[in-house]
Amino acid sequence: MLSTRRKLLCCKKEPKTPLGFCDGPSRATGYLSCFYCGTEDRYCQPYDPENEFHEAVCMGKLKVVLRLLMKKNFHVNDEDEGKRTALHFACFYGHIDLVHLLLFEDCKINALDNQKSTPLMKAIQSWEIEIVSVLLHHGADPNIKDCNGEAAIHHAVYVDRPDIASSLLEFGGNIEDTTKDGLTPLLLALRERKHRMAAYLITNGANLHVCDQYQRTTLMYAVKWDCENIVEILLKKGVDHHLKDTFGWTALYYAVMGKRKTKMVIIQHDLLLSRQQNTFTRNEPEDVVSSGYHFESKSLTSVCARMEDTANLKTQKAAQSSSIGNGPEENEIIEVWAEKCPHPELRDYCHLASRPMPETQQSQTGKFC
């Protein structure tokens, strides 16, 4: 009886979505506190000094630091057992005056501790934007990676600080740098539900079409956290909601099975696209489809001159038997109004269209489109 009860209590529910990606409620509201983050608090580890010199740096005692350096008791680049230098501690505890002093004393600006973290990373972890700026102006490398394969911009994502990310990108930070798991800053921001950072990266040229190791797209991650505004932005910028991950799931399928509100955003976007693509099939005079004309494929990339008067249709004759067919008769070519074209970006232009060939010629040369 007891063993049966234990089994019932210990059994886990089968995930509704692959690996539980969209299971449970979506916490759409973003928080800065790591308590609400989906991952373990990576910055809660103690960063305590192990000697008198580093302790004075941590406490911001400038005079004590100067005295210890002048007496030659300690060197500016002395490391403790964790390979941490005084600059690591000064950046982590936000003492910008000590940062200036240590840089003046020619300390190692890109020193690595035992986790391969740089002083720049420690300043980012503590949200010290002013210190970040000072380090970058003195030549700190923003693209060094720690033991987790994460660069400074990834740490800026974890703390959700677009202002820090802006400084890093200004000084050569890579907006497409990947972690060991292959996550770009944008994918990482969406995975960690850092929507403010995600929005910044989207508007500053980040690649929207990247995928994680399971081929999950940026749109799928936005659906996971039910972030409607980001889903709408990604759809408008051309992220395909029909793409499938390695489990065969699409973003819409995740939204439906996860009971996300974003499913309506995707559906409405799909309906809008369908209306735009079907605009040219309206029953109007001289309708292209009803009259049997086909768009010439090359006209989609080389558009004609813009038409000013949309009330009239112009016709022209062209002998293109070599490219269209070998019949004795010339093939009729007309200009078609762009409002009938399914491509919205070309609606201010007219395109070439050709009258279809007889079936006997189509069987020989193939359909002209």
Side-chain angles (χ1 to χ4, degrees):
M1 181 68 179
L2 184 61
S3 61
T4 303
R5 182 178 300 175
R6 185 180 294 112
K7 290 180 180 179
L8 291 174
L9 293 175
C10 294
C11 66
K12 295 182 179 180
K13 293 182 180 180
E14 290 294 329
K16 297 178 181 178
T17 58
L19 304 180
F21 185 70
C22 272
D23 290 1
S26 62
R27 296 168 292 181
T29 305
Y31 295 89
L32 293 178
S33 173
C34 289
F35 175 77
Y36 296 96
C37 187
T39 58
E40 183 181 356
D41 185 358
R42 57 196 299 106
Y43 302 140
C44 192
Q45 301 176 358
Y47 210 71
D48 300 327
E50 298 178 358
N51 56 56
E52 182 184 1
F53 176 51
H54 290 163
E55 182 178 357
V57 173
C58 292
M59 299 179 66
K61 296 181 177 180
L62 182 60
K63 293 182 179 179
V64 176
V65 171
L66 284 172
R67 177 172 55 82
L68 293 175
L69 289 176
M70 290 178 63
K71 288 184 177 180
K72 306 296 182 181
N73 294 339
F74 294 93
H75 189 268
V76 68
N77 289 319
D78 282 348
E79 299 177 348
D80 61 8
E81 293 183 359
K83 300 187 68 176
R84 299 169 296 185
T85 65
L87 187 59
H88 281 96
F89 289 106
C91 292
F92 183 79
Y93 286 98
H95 300 305
I96 191 169
D97 53 345
L98 285 174
V99 170
H100 282 292
L101 172 64
L102 295 171
L103 291 174
F104 179 78
E105 295 291 336
D106 294 328
C107 66
K108 294 179 181 179
I109 195 169
N110 291 317
L112 303 179
D113 64 10
N114 58 358
Q115 300 296 316
K116 295 186 178 180
S117 294
T118 63
L120 178 62
M121 294 177 185
K122 306 313 292 186
I124 293 172
Q125 292 171 11
S126 296
W127 303 7
E128 296 293 341
I129 179 61
E130 190 175 356
I131 293 179
V132 169
S133 180
V134 170
L135 293 175
L136 290 172
H137 277 91
H138 282 78
D141 188 351
N143 294 316
I144 295 176
K145 294 189 176 183
D146 60 15
C147 60
N148 296 314
E150 296 170 345
I153 193 168
H154 297 110
H155 290 272
V157 169
Y158 282 116
V159 297
D160 201 16
R161 292 295 298 268
D163 53 345
I164 294 178
S166 177
S167 297
L168 295 173
L169 295 177
E170 182 183 353
F171 284 87
N174 185 4
I175 197 172
E176 301 300 334
D177 208 349
T178 57
T179 65
K180 283 184 177 180
D181 298 329
L183 298 178
T184 64
L186 177 56
L187 269 178
L188 183 64
L190 292 171
R191 191 194 73 175
E192 297 296 317
R193 204 164 39 83
K194 307 298 184 182
H195 296 159
R196 186 171 58 170
M197 178 63 78
Y200 169 81
L201 294 171
I202 290 172
T203 57
N204 283 271
N207 184 6
L208 309 182
H209 306 283
V210 291
C211 300
D212 67 4
Q213 57 184 338
Y214 299 109
Q215 296 302 306
R216 286 169 174 158
T217 63
T218 53
L219 184 61
M220 294 177 186
Y221 275 100
V223 166
K224 175 181 180 179
W225 299 117
D226 216 11
C227 190
E228 297 176 81
N229 61 327
I230 291 184
V231 168
E232 187 174 358
I233 292 173
L234 292 174
L235 289 172
K236 288 182 178 179
K237 288 184 174 290
V239 179
D240 190 357
H241 66 277
H242 295 103
L243 294 178
K244 297 181 179 180
D245 60 11
T246 55
F247 306 101
W249 285 51
T250 64
L252 180 57
Y253 200 23
Y254 276 115
V256 172
M257 297 303 294
K259 298 180 179 180
R260 301 300 195 251
K261 296 178 182 178
T262 47
K263 68 181 179 181
M264 293 308 302
V265 178
I266 299 175
I267 292 173
Q268 290 172 2
H269 175 79
D270 209 15
L271 291 174
L272 179 61
L273 287 181
S274 298
R275 293 195 198 100
Q276 291 176 348
Q277 292 175 357
N278 293 330
T279 301
F280 76 107
T281 62
R282 292 179 298 176
N283 187 16
E284 297 178 350
E286 301 294 332
D287 186 87
V288 179
V289 175
S290 61
S291 60
Y293 287 89
H294 304 288
F295 281 100
E296 187 176 331
S297 58
K298 67 179 182 181
S299 65
L300 299 179
T301 55
S302 57
V303 295
C304 302
R306 181 165 183 166
M307 304 299 294
E308 296 180 356
D309 185 7
T310 59
N312 301 316
L313 290 174
K314 296 180 181 180
T315 60
Q316 59 180 347
K317 297 260 183 164
Q320 297 182 355
S321 57
S322 58
S323 60
I324 301 177
N326 297 321
E329 298 182 357
E330 295 180 344
N331 296 276
E332 184 178 356
I333 304 296
I334 72 166
E335 290 181 345
V336 179
W337 296 113
E339 64 180 9
K340 305 176 188 297
C341 178
H343 299 272
E345 70 275 11
L346 302 179
R347 285 190 183 151
D348 291 334
Y349 301 85
C350 65
H351 314 299
L352 294 178
S354 64
R355 189 180 295 279
M357 296 175 294
E359 295 182 359
T360 56
Q361 294 185 13
Q362 288 188 9
S363 61
Q364 297 176 2
T365 61
K367 185 179 180 181
F368 174 70
C369 60

